[in-house]
Amino acid sequence: MILDQHQSSNYSQIQSQQYHSKSRQIETEEQIVKFTIRQDFLNLLAIAADYQAGLNLQGSQKNMEQIITMLHNKLILQVNLSSSIHLDQQQQCKNSPQLNETLIKEKRDVENFLKSIIKEKKFAPQIEKHLKSYLDNCLNDYPRLVNDPLNPVKNKAEFNQETIQKLFCSISQTDQKYSDIQRGKVQAKELSQSDIDKHIEERLHAAHHKLQDRQERGCNICQLI
C-alpha cells in the first residue's frame, strides 16, 4: 500500500513536470511568433521610411533617380520576403490552436497599426501601394506569396565591406534575439502606436542624413540597411 502511494506520488510529479515543461515550450513558441511578426512589420516600416526619405530629397538633390529605384526595389523585396515569412508562420502554427490564435491576434494588431498609418498618409502613394499589398497578402488569415518583379537599374550594384558588415551585424543581432527568447531571457517587445510613429520618424531622420551625406561625397551606391 505504501509502495503504491509512493509510485502514485512519483507519477504525479512526473506528470506535473511534463505539464510545466510543455507549458514553457508553448510560451516560448508564442513569444517567437510575436517577435517574428512584430519585427517583420518594423523592418517593413524602416525600409518604407528609407524610400520616403529618398522621395523627400528627390526635388532638391541631383542624380537621385538611381537611388530612388534602389530604395523602391528594397521595399519590393521586403514585401516579397514578408509574404514568405507569413506563409511560414501559418504553416508553423496551423496544428496548434493556441499558437494559431496568437498568430491571428498579432496579425490583427499589426493590421490596425498599418491601417492607422495609411489613414494618416505618413507615406507617399507609391509607398502606400506596397503597404496595402502587405496588408492584403501578408496579414490575411491565409497569406499569399508575393513575387513582384524589381525595377531595372542602370548601374551594376556595388557592395563595399562596410555594407556587408552592417548586414551581417543585423543578422547576428536578430539571431541573438531569437536565442534569448528561446532561453527565456527576454520576451517580444510590445508595440504601441507611439512606438511605431517614433520608429518611422527616427528612420526617416537617419535615412535623410545618410542620403545627404552620400550626395556630398558623390557616392553612387545606396548603403541604407
Side-chain angles (χ1 to χ4, degrees), residues 84-118:
S84 295
I85 290 172
H86 278 264
L87 275 168
D88 179 67
Q89 286 298 299
Q90 184 197 30
Q91 291 298 314
Q92 295 283 344
C93 298
K94 68 178 183 180
N95 294 325
S96 169
Q98 190 169 339
L99 288 179
N100 193 55
E101 182 180 347
T102 298
L103 177 61
I104 291 174
K105 182 183 181 303
E106 288 299 311
K107 283 175 174 282
R108 295 293 80 80
D109 289 345
V110 169
E111 179 182 1
N112 290 333
F113 288 138
L114 187 52
K115 284 182 176 179
S116 177
I117 289 169
I118 292 173

Side-chain angles (χ1 to χ4, degrees), residues 19 22 125 161 205 209 220:
Y19 172 80
K22 187 174 182 180
Q161 189 64 32
H205 182 74
H209 283 285
N220 292 320

Side-chain angles (χ1 to χ4, degrees), residues 63 67 160 213-223:
N63 304 319
I67 293 298
N160 63 11
D213 180 61
R214 178 208 65 84
Q215 185 72 11
E216 291 172 1
R217 291 186 291 111
C219 180
N220 292 320
I221 59 175
C222 181
Q223 298 178 15

Side-chain angles (χ1 to χ4, degrees), residues 38 70 73 79 101 111 119 123 158 166 190 200 211-212 218 221:
R38 294 171 189 176
M70 295 176 72
N73 281 344
V79 176
E101 182 180 347
E111 179 182 1
K119 184 178 180 180
F123 294 104
E158 300 176 39
K166 286 181 179 179
E190 295 292 334
I200 294 171
L211 287 169
Q212 277 195 324
I221 59 175

Side-chain angles (χ1 to χ4, degrees), residues 55-72:
L55 293 174
N56 292 345
L57 286 171
Q58 192 172 23
S60 60
Q61 300 285 337
K62 297 179 180 179
N63 304 319
M64 286 291 293
E65 293 83 3
Q66 181 80 347
I67 293 298
I68 294 297
T69 300
M70 295 176 72
L71 291 170
H72 188 188

Side-chain angles (χ1 to χ4, degrees), residues 45 47-58 68 72 75 114 117-133 200-201 204:
L45 295 180
I47 293 174
D50 289 347
Y51 187 12
Q52 184 64 58
L55 293 174
N56 292 345
L57 286 171
Q58 192 172 23
I68 294 297
H72 188 188
L75 183 56
L114 187 52
I117 289 169
I118 292 173
K119 184 178 180 180
E120 293 176 12
K121 302 291 183 182
K122 288 184 178 292
F123 294 104
Q126 53 266 58
I127 297 175
E128 193 174 289
K129 176 183 73 172
H130 295 288
L131 299 182
K132 288 180 178 178
S133 174
I200 294 171
E201 289 302 318
L204 269 170

